[in-house]
Amino acid sequence: MINFKQLVNEYKTPLYVYDLDYMTSQYNALKGAFKGKKSLLAYAVKANSNLSVVKHFADLGAGADCVSIGEVRRAFLAGIPNYKIIFSGVGKSDDEIREAIEKDILYINVESEAELGRVELIAKELNTSCRISIRVNPNIDPKTHPYISTGLHANKFGVDLNTAKRMYIFANNSQNLDPIGIHFHIGSQLTQLDPIRESAEIVADLIRSLASIKIELKFFDIGGGLGVQYKDEKTILPYDYAQAIFSTLTALDLTIVCEPGRFLTANAGYFLTKVLYEKQNGDKKFVIVDGAMNDLIRPALYNAYHKIEAITESVLEPRKVDIVGPVCESGDFFAKDYLLPELAHNDILVIHSAGSYGFGMGSNYNTRGRSAEVAVQDGKARLIRRRESFEDIIALELEFLQN
Ligand code: LLP
């Protein structure tokens, strides 16, 4: 059990806390499910990109799925070897492509014909050949929140099957492209297995059809997206997930690449905030806390549910409250009509499932410094990012201030 009160005394609030041991057990559960087949878990760095978190996964043997050259650099800094790093994303600048080729990463996930052309050109300029994978959009509804659904043709991601085939033939004939993988990722927070299985079948069929024209791929990249429990969702078990993938790969000898983010980190993270005061507006009761949407935007952006627990002396009956931050937006809330007892100044609220897409989606809106981050491992806590100061926030503007 993490002693949140002690952490708040030591590190103040707002504060992110990550349980690295929980991340380890999630990693082992997923890696174990793929036992018996060649597999690489490429941690989706975007979920929680703190260097110490990425290093933790590096030490466990993970690779990295990156969506910007910044994330690629983070992966290198954290000790992930080049041959385990993937660069995905729907838009990559020439500079990013060049650096990824120079760093000799495992492969670049290409998401359009135009991008394939750029990658080829840059590889040619560098007098080399670039390993690539193509992101296929299988046009399958993943049945998740529309903002995090990516596998339909209505979404900007990947290419359709015919385009993919054309791109593989083009790449195979190019001196500067080496097609070694295929990729799909239909969405995030997936709780149903069927759309994943269907997509994998579609993509596996394409692999077979490519093999029949002598284009032999090595990597079957199934993306990320495995959902977690925020409230009462029934989630997919790693074993069932892996078996569903295996079932589509009969007679194919491929390394399975999986890009989990949320599964590894979401429920390892807590966001701690202190109660400033309570306030009544007509019928509505508000609890105003020192954390805000600039720290954790998921409730505001997706209406996402995060369980909230109060550490308080209060023994009063819970009543319905809105838990809100100090930012000047009505969208600045962590929960609405949530049951909590009467709270006092400095009581602590623990916001659960905050280890993915929490800190990373934070901002300095309202000139608020980003929270500190703490890791807990083997019962010991350590600071892994210090709290941002006012000076940190203004540093990049100050030298340009004119009298
Ligand atoms: N691979 C690719 C190509 C992705 O686009 C993503 C996530 C992942 C892997 C990792 O997905 P995960 O295993 O974490 O579901 N901000 C949203 C989630 C956005 C996900 C974007 N892509 C949220 O807070 O729910």
Side-chain angles (χ1 to χ4, degrees):
M1 261 300 278
I2 299 177
N3 189 334
F4 293 116
K5 219 167 165 172
Q6 202 178 322
L7 291 177
V8 167
N9 283 340
E10 190 165 351
Y11 300 103
K12 313 286 180 261
T13 53
L15 183 70
Y16 273 98
V17 176
Y18 308 127
D19 179 347
L20 298 192
D21 298 318
Y22 183 84
M23 292 185 191
T24 305
S25 63
Q26 290 295 92
Y27 178 87
N28 289 338
L30 193 53
K31 183 72 185 167
F34 288 107
K35 208 170 55 202
K37 291 256 194 281
K38 288 170 285 180
S39 72
L40 171 67
L41 297 194
Y43 170 56
V45 173
K46 65 168 89 68
N48 184 326
S49 50
N50 183 290
L51 281 174
S52 300
V53 170
V54 183
K55 174 167 189 304
H56 184 66
F57 288 117
D59 292 345
L60 292 171
D65 170 53
C66 306
V67 288
S68 70
I69 208 67
E71 286 191 355
V72 172
R73 291 181 189 177
R74 269 185 192 272
F76 271 97
L77 265 179
I80 296 189
N82 64 320
Y83 58 87
K84 290 186 184 174
I85 296 177
I86 298 161
F87 184 17
S88 311
V90 75
K92 306 174 188 79
S93 72
D94 287 357
D95 285 346
E96 289 185 306
I97 293 170
R98 189 170 301 110
E99 188 171 330
I101 296 175
E102 283 169 348
K103 285 193 152 73
D104 198 22
I105 63 169
L106 178 58
Y107 54 79
I108 294 183
N109 254 327
V110 176
E111 298 219 18
S112 63
E113 284 188 290
E115 185 170 74
L116 192 63
R118 295 305 308 167
V119 174
E120 187 195 36
L121 196 78
I122 295 165
K124 196 170 181 180
E125 278 166 19
L126 294 171
N127 207 9
T128 187
S129 170
C130 177
R131 286 180 296 276
I132 59 133
S133 153
I134 291 170
R135 179 167 179 176
V136 175
N137 182 324
N139 201 25
I140 294 285
D141 184 354
K143 310 229 163 48
T144 185
H145 191 290
Y147 282 16
I148 50 178
S149 155
T150 51
L152 283 167
H153 285 170
N155 304 124
K156 66 179 174 179
F157 300 96
V159 295
D160 62 54
L161 293 168
N162 289 335
T163 309
K165 196 161 181 182
R166 213 166 45 236
M167 288 165 71
Y168 277 112
I169 293 168
F170 176 85
N172 199 47
N173 290 332
S174 164
Q175 298 287 305
N176 303 102
L177 296 170
D178 180 12
I180 60 163
I182 195 156
H183 175 244
F184 69 94
H185 170 84
I186 57 171
S188 196
Q189 183 55 13
L190 307 178
T191 52
Q192 295 190 28
L193 197 47
D194 284 348
I196 301 175
R197 189 188 291 111
E198 268 179 69
S199 306
E201 268 162 11
I202 291 171
V203 176
D205 283 346
L206 178 58
I207 297 177
R208 290 191 188 90
S209 110
L210 291 169
S212 71
I213 52 169
K214 297 271 167 304
I215 301 178
E216 311 267 359
L217 303 179
K218 296 191 186 73
F219 295 93
F220 186 57
D221 185 339
I222 60 174
L226 212 50
V228 301
Q229 193 169 56
Y230 284 92
K231 192 178 189 181
D232 49 15
E233 303 89 334
K234 218 172 151 282
T235 55
I236 301 166
L237 295 174
Y239 176 84
D240 296 339
Y241 180 52
Q243 292 299 318
I245 298 296
F246 294 168
S247 72
T248 66
L249 290 182
T250 31
L252 288 172
D253 178 30
L254 296 160
T255 298
I256 298 168
V257 178
C258 180
E259 304 167 350
R262 193 186 317 259
F263 180 81
L264 299 180
T265 57
N267 281 332
Y270 304 87
F271 178 65
L272 310 186
T273 180
K274 265 186 176 175
V275 173
L276 298 173
Y277 21 74
E278 292 199 344
K279 159 173 183 172
Q280 184 91 32
N281 268 358
D283 289 345
K284 201 93 197 148
K285 186 80 161 179
F286 293 97
V287 175
I288 300 163
V289 297
D290 64 357
M293 67 188 289
N294 76 296
D295 299 298
L296 177 65
I297 203 173
R298 300 193 73 257
L301 197 57
Y302 315 115
N303 210 13
Y305 175 92
H306 285 261
K307 181 175 140 191
I308 301 178
E309 196 186 344
I311 302 179
T312 175
E313 305 282 291
S314 173
V315 289
L316 295 173
E317 278 299 300
R319 74 264 123 91
K320 280 188 177 170
V321 294
D322 283 11
I323 300 150
V324 302
V327 161
C328 57
E329 302 263 352
S330 295
D332 181 24
F333 64 89
F334 292 116
K336 288 188 169 172
D337 293 326
Y338 201 89
L339 283 172
L340 286 179
E342 189 174 321
L343 297 167
H345 185 67
N346 283 344
D347 279 349
I348 299 164
L349 295 186
V350 181
I351 304 188
H352 288 243
S353 312
S356 294
Y357 309 109
F359 183 91
M361 294 180 80
S363 75
N364 290 128
Y365 188 40
N366 282 201
T367 305
R368 291 172 51 89
R370 269 173 278 228
S371 331
E373 293 176 288
V374 164
V376 178
Q377 190 173 19
D378 295 330
K380 284 198 258 333
R382 65 176 202 274
L383 191 66
I384 56 171
R385 193 183 204 269
R386 70 164 168 78
R387 184 174 303 287
E388 261 175 17
S389 66
F390 173 68
E391 287 69 28
D392 291 328
I393 300 175
I394 58 162
L396 304 181
E397 301 154 44
L398 204 53
E399 63 180 291
F400 305 105
L401 186 65
Q402 292 177 348
N403 295 325

